Amino acid sequence: PGDVTLDPDTAHPNLLLSPDRKSVRFIESRQRHLAASSRRFTTYPCVLGSRGFTSGRHYWEVEVGHKTHWALGVCGDSVCRNGEPAALPESGFWRVRLWNGDRYAATTAPFTPLSPRVKPTRVGVFVDYEAGEVSFYNVTDRSHLYTFTDTFTEKIWPLFYPGIRAGRRNAAPLSICEPTDWD
């Protein structure tokens, strides 16, 4: 269900969350006066969901609109939060990303290029913890983008990376939205 919100204690200092904690955008100046948190990302500008999963099936959708850079997915509880993590499955990150406006990939090692038929403006993320699957869907044309299969051994968290601003072209936020009624 649409109960995913963002956790301000994990947000990189250059990320600004909306008051309802449903959207995030990159800002040029680091925020001061943030609560100290060992859970905060200090190098990779991402933010996690406020609820992690150790079982069950979970689905959420994110409005990516016409952004030129973003990444979505999940990460493990023990990932590196300060320093430059290798954001790959081996280090606890399962993500799909867009960069340069038109390059999509699943962040495997090496990256698996993706070629959506229609540019996604909304992406669905489906986690089946027991099956070890993280699947990504292009909600815009109801197509499957990619599925990671792995074995989860710890709590995993929804991950959101709105991308750096790249001028004004990527300034729009990533927004968690009510899931589409697929019927």
Side-chain angles (χ1 to χ4, degrees):
D3 55 2
V4 175
T5 57
L6 303 171
D7 179 356
D9 289 341
T10 64
H12 183 279
N14 283 92
L15 297 185
L16 186 65
L17 275 50
S18 61
D20 66 358
R21 304 199 338 223
K22 288 284 193 179
S23 72
V24 56
R25 63 191 177 89
F26 185 89
I27 56 174
E28 297 299 336
S29 53
R30 288 173 84 91
Q31 297 183 77
R32 315 246 186 281
H33 319 300
L34 290 173
S37 170
S38 61
R39 300 174 57 232
R40 186 176 311 285
F41 283 83
T42 57
T43 309
Y44 177 44
C46 69
V47 59
L48 303 184
S50 52
R51 271 188 52 224
F53 314 123
T54 52
S55 64
R57 296 170 153 201
H58 308 275
Y59 179 75
W60 61 95
E61 289 182 7
V62 181
E63 191 70 37
V64 297
H66 299 287
K67 291 177 69 59
T68 55
H69 293 71
W70 51 259
L72 297 169
V74 298
C75 72
D77 202 40
S78 62
V79 297
C80 175
R81 293 172 194 240
N82 46 29
E84 197 63 61
L88 303 168
E90 294 75 20
S91 51
F93 291 86
W94 296 270
R95 306 175 310 146
V96 162
R97 62 172 290 205
L98 163 70
W99 73 102
N100 293 347
D102 62 353
R103 311 246 343 247
Y104 295 89
T107 59
T108 52
F111 282 8
T112 301
L114 305 176
S115 302
R117 291 185 302 281
V118 173
K119 185 177 171 72
T121 57
R122 186 181 282 202
V123 174
V125 183
F126 178 74
V127 171
D128 185 330
Y129 192 95
E130 283 76 14
E133 291 183 348
V134 184
S135 299
F136 296 85
Y137 296 92
N138 179 350
V139 178
T140 310
D141 70 351
R142 299 185 173 200
S143 63
H144 173 255
L145 290 168
Y146 190 79
T147 297
F148 288 93
T149 306
D150 215 322
T151 303
F152 302 127
T153 56
E154 62 179 350
K155 187 179 276 195
I156 57 173
W157 301 85
L159 177 143
F160 305 85
Y161 164 70
I164 57 171
R165 279 198 41 196
R168 297 216 173 276
R169 293 181 318 148
N170 200 46
L174 282 180
S175 299
I176 303 164
C177 34
E178 282 301 310
T180 306
D181 187 349
W182 290 82
D183 299 333

